[in-house]
Every structure is written in C-alpha cells, then in structure tokens.
Amino acid sequence: SANQGLPVSYDAIVVGLGAMGSAAAYQLASRGARVLGIEAFGRAHELGSSGGLTRIIRLAYFEHPDYVPMLRAAWELWPRIQADAGDEQLIQVTGGLYIGRRGSSVLDGSLKSAQTHGLAHEMLDAEETSRRFPAFRLDADMDALHEPLAGILFPDKCIGAHLSLAESSGAELHFQERVTGWSSDATGLTVTTDRGSYNAEKLIVAPGAWLPKLAPELNLPLRVERNALFWYEPLAHPQNFEADALPVWILELDDDYAFYGFPSLPGQGVKVSRHHGGRQVDPDEIDREATDEDEIAVRDFMARYMPAASGRRLDSRVCMYTNTPDFNFILDYHPEDKRVVIASPCSGHGFKFSNIIGSIAADLALEGRTTFEIGFLSIDRFATG
C-alpha cells in the first residue's frame, strides 16, 4: 500500500514486472539495493508480450551478431535462476532449426552468427531436413541450419522465478497498481501511481507495449503489433512432433514473412505462429481473442510445409510485439536523465534475453556502465525521428 505522510525512499524503482522488469527487480535486490517493483496488472500476467506458454531460446542469432555474447550469458544464467528458484523447469533443450532460401535473413543471418562466434551447427538441404525432421515438407530450394543449443523457455515460470527471487532478496513488489508518471529534481526521482507516490534514486522503466504511453516525451517510433498464437493436434504421425523429434524452428518465406513454432508439449499440442505481420494496436484496446482471420495464414503455411500438423485447433492466444524500426531492442539511459534506464521494447524476440537484460539494466542503474556491447540498442539511433 502507498505510504501516507513521508514517502519511503528506494534505491531503485522498477516500472513493469514482466520479462525485463521482473529480472531487473531481482538483479537489483540481489545486489543489495532497496527495490520497489510496480506492475499495473497481476503477477506473471499474460496481457503483455510474455503470454503464450513458451518462448524460443537460441544462439545462432540471425538478427545481429552483437546479441550472441548476451545470449551466451543468458544461457549460463537461466540454469542458475532455475536452481535458485527451486524445482520448476524453466528451460528445455530441443535444438533449433532455421529454414529459408539462400539469401534469406533467417538462413544467412543464422549462419553468419554461427560462423562469427564459432557456434556448433550444421547445414542441411531440403531433402536431408525432411528426412531427419519428417514434420517438415520443404521446397527443394530451401536449406536449414540446425544447432544443438536451442530450446524452450517457459515464460510464466521464468517471470514467476524472477519475482519470487526478487522478493526473497528483499524487493517490495506491488501488483494491480498503475504508474501514471514520474518527475525528477536534484534530490531524486518521484514515481506517481494510482495509489500514491514513491521516491527513488534510480528508475528502470520496463513497461513493454505501454512505453509510448509512459514516456511520450521520448517520441520513439514504436509500433505495437498484435500477434496470434495457435496450438494444434497433429493429423497424423504425432511422434514426428514430439520434443525429441522436432526442434524449435523458424521458417522464412520469400515475402518477408516468417513462421515459427514448437514441438508438441504435454497438454499443449504443436504451436505455430506467424512472426510479424499483425496489425498495429493500442495495448489497452487490443482484441485478445484470436479470430478465424488470424488463423488463415497459419493454416495456409501448415498445409504447404507441415501438412501433418494441421489438425484440430486446441488453443489460441494473443500477445503483443513492441517493434522498433530496426527490430533491435532499446536498452539505454533516458536521454534527459541518466538516473532513468529504459529497458524496452524487444520487437518480439526479447524474452530469451530477459535475465541478462535485467542484469545489464541493474549494471546501468547501479554502476553507471555495463561490460556488454549495447551500443546497437541505444535510444539515440532514433533521435532523428
């Protein structure tokens, strides 16, 4: 509850307790900082960008080679978080399969990252891919990169682990409390909410799709996109879709569309979704029901490339991507105040990094620097609009 009279002062306040914020709260508290975390919704809710039961973690990162050192650190950190948090499984290794035509960003970019950083991988042609992974029926001119070190993160469990570790490290967490703004002066920062106000020396802002509303002064060119996720019961050969037979995968088509998915997990079925291509939305007005129209592209894709997957629809969810123009994250100080760290948004590919982004955000807030190369995530790359 908000304090009456003199507000308590914190070393750091974290706004938003989703993927990035929960990790930041834990990292700050574990380093001895006095932390307040504030979340507009419930604990480990599915209303932002972390819903949908599963997330991919991979190393041969086609998006940008500078992500790979952060990914290696994330891979090392997830098992430690899992061990510290208890017996909940946070990560499951399945390997990864990245498919496209020569020249596609998924295929060429994955290969470039694998070669640049000496990652274990092998290249397969369409015939060999379909022989080893019979869930797929590929076009003859497609190739695939297979890497052994990729798999599944369980986001609700990961966020839950970060939240409980933050609390056991002394963080105070408030849920169902909406931040309405913040102000700063020489003595520190004041965060106001619909329940009260709080003082802090440092602020980490990690509200995902709500960043444009919370920090309109940044005038960031962000696009909040609605994405629908689907789960299916295979029509035939269910063994080909189990986690020991089907890696996590991304398949890029010619028209800049990529699809991605997961093996069949107990009680879930096979998950397939289109990566980008959803319509722009306001996070407070989003239609959270997946429609038949949402499903058309996914069914068409499965009919062509994964025909045996396209059985009865078991479940669907809607989540949001908050996209920057270059699809790389924002992780930087507020341009007007170095006491404020912006740790958002992640353009639909950030969850796997959330543990390490929390750590880097804590570095920036407490140390004033980080050892990671994060220049490519700077805010000022959008300064010209």
Side-chain angles (χ1 to χ4, degrees):
S1 60
N3 297 287
Q4 306 309 314
L6 278 176
V8 180
S9 195
Y10 297 89
D11 297 320
I13 293 175
V14 179
V15 177
L17 292 174
M20 311 304 154
S22 63
Y26 162 60
Q27 288 287 339
L28 290 163
S30 70
R31 300 180 198 189
R34 177 157 194 187
V35 182
L36 171 65
I38 309 174
E39 166 58 55
F41 301 105
R43 197 180 182 98
H45 65 84
E46 291 217 349
L47 300 174
S49 300
S50 302
L53 305 177
T54 44
R55 284 291 178 280
I56 292 176
I57 182 164
R58 53 199 161 92
L59 267 178
Y61 218 63
F62 68 85
E63 288 84 347
H64 197 298
D66 282 1
Y67 283 114
V68 176
M70 293 166 66
L71 273 171
R72 284 191 152 139
W75 266 107
E76 286 169 22
L77 189 52
W78 280 120
R80 298 214 300 269
I81 301 288
Q82 182 173 294
D84 290 349
D87 53 3
E88 284 265 57
Q89 185 183 15
L90 304 185
I91 192 165
Q92 179 176 340
V93 176
T94 60
L97 196 60
Y98 318 125
I99 304 164
R101 294 181 172 83
R102 286 173 206 103
S104 69
S105 60
V106 164
L107 188 68
D108 288 17
S110 297
L111 183 59
K112 183 181 175 188
S113 275
Q115 290 172 335
T116 302
H117 295 281
L119 305 174
H121 69 284
E122 54 185 328
M123 297 301 291
L124 311 172
D125 64 16
E127 192 181 351
E128 174 73 356
T129 303
S130 299
R131 193 175 63 73
R132 285 189 35 195
F133 306 104
F136 288 102
R137 189 176 70 196
L138 301 181
D139 298 336
D141 62 347
M142 287 178 164
D143 289 308
L145 182 145
H146 178 253
E147 71 168 331
L149 199 57
I152 301 167
L153 288 168
F154 302 103
D156 55 335
K157 295 185 171 67
C158 293
I159 294 171
H162 276 134
L163 293 174
S164 58
L165 288 171
E167 284 173 324
S168 60
S169 304
E172 184 184 324
L173 305 181
H174 294 188
F175 296 94
Q176 308 291 350
E177 181 168 354
R178 192 177 277 265
V179 170
T180 51
W182 73 81
S183 59
S184 59
D185 59 27
T187 62
L189 303 159
T190 302
V191 175
T192 50
T193 74
D194 54 8
R195 289 201 222 156
S197 63
Y198 310 90
N199 293 344
E201 289 177 34
K202 299 291 170 67
L203 178 60
I204 293 180
V205 183
W210 285 268
L211 181 62
K213 295 188 172 199
L214 261 180
E217 75 284 354
L218 292 175
N219 199 24
L220 293 170
L222 302 180
R223 183 178 187 276
V224 178
E225 176 186 313
R226 176 183 172 279
N227 272 69
L229 319 168
F230 296 95
W231 286 261
Y232 297 97
E233 179 179 57
L235 276 175
H237 312 297
Q239 70 281 3
N240 291 342
F241 297 92
E242 298 293 326
D244 58 355
L246 180 63
V248 296
W249 57 270
I250 303 169
L251 191 155
E252 182 177 350
L253 299 177
D254 328 312
D255 53 5
D256 286 336
Y257 280 132
F259 289 78
Y260 67 97
F262 297 79
S264 183
L265 297 175
Q268 290 185 24
V270 181
K271 179 179 172 183
V272 182
S273 179
R274 187 168 76 174
H275 197 265
H276 295 302
R279 63 181 184 271
Q280 189 160 356
V281 292
D282 176 319
D284 292 312
E285 315 277 325
I286 183 173
D287 173 8
R288 296 195 171 276
E289 289 297 311
T291 65
D292 291 346
E293 191 187 352
D294 291 324
E295 197 177 9
I296 292 169
V298 172
R299 286 284 190 186
D300 287 350
F301 167 81
M302 288 193 296
R304 186 168 169 188
Y305 296 107
M306 304 183 84
S310 193
R312 186 167 61 98
R313 176 168 134 188
L314 299 174
D315 197 5
S316 61
R317 307 277 172 101
V318 166
C319 75
M320 291 180 284
Y321 294 167
T322 307
N323 300 319
T324 64
D326 63 8
F327 296 103
N328 293 320
F329 311 162
I330 292 173
L331 184 55
D332 200 356
Y333 295 107
H334 192 294
E336 288 152 33
D337 196 334
K338 265 198 86 163
R339 296 171 294 181
V340 179
V341 175
I342 307 291
S344 185
C346 288
S347 303
H349 66 106
F351 192 90
K352 63 190 79 65
F353 296 93
S354 54
N355 60 358
I356 208 67
I357 286 178
S359 180
I360 294 170
D363 291 342
L364 295 175
L366 300 178
E367 318 291 331
R369 63 183 183 283
T370 181
T371 55
F372 286 90
E373 238 357 287
I374 59 167
F376 75 116
L377 307 179
S378 71
I379 280 185
D380 61 18
R381 70 190 199 270
F382 305 127
T384 52

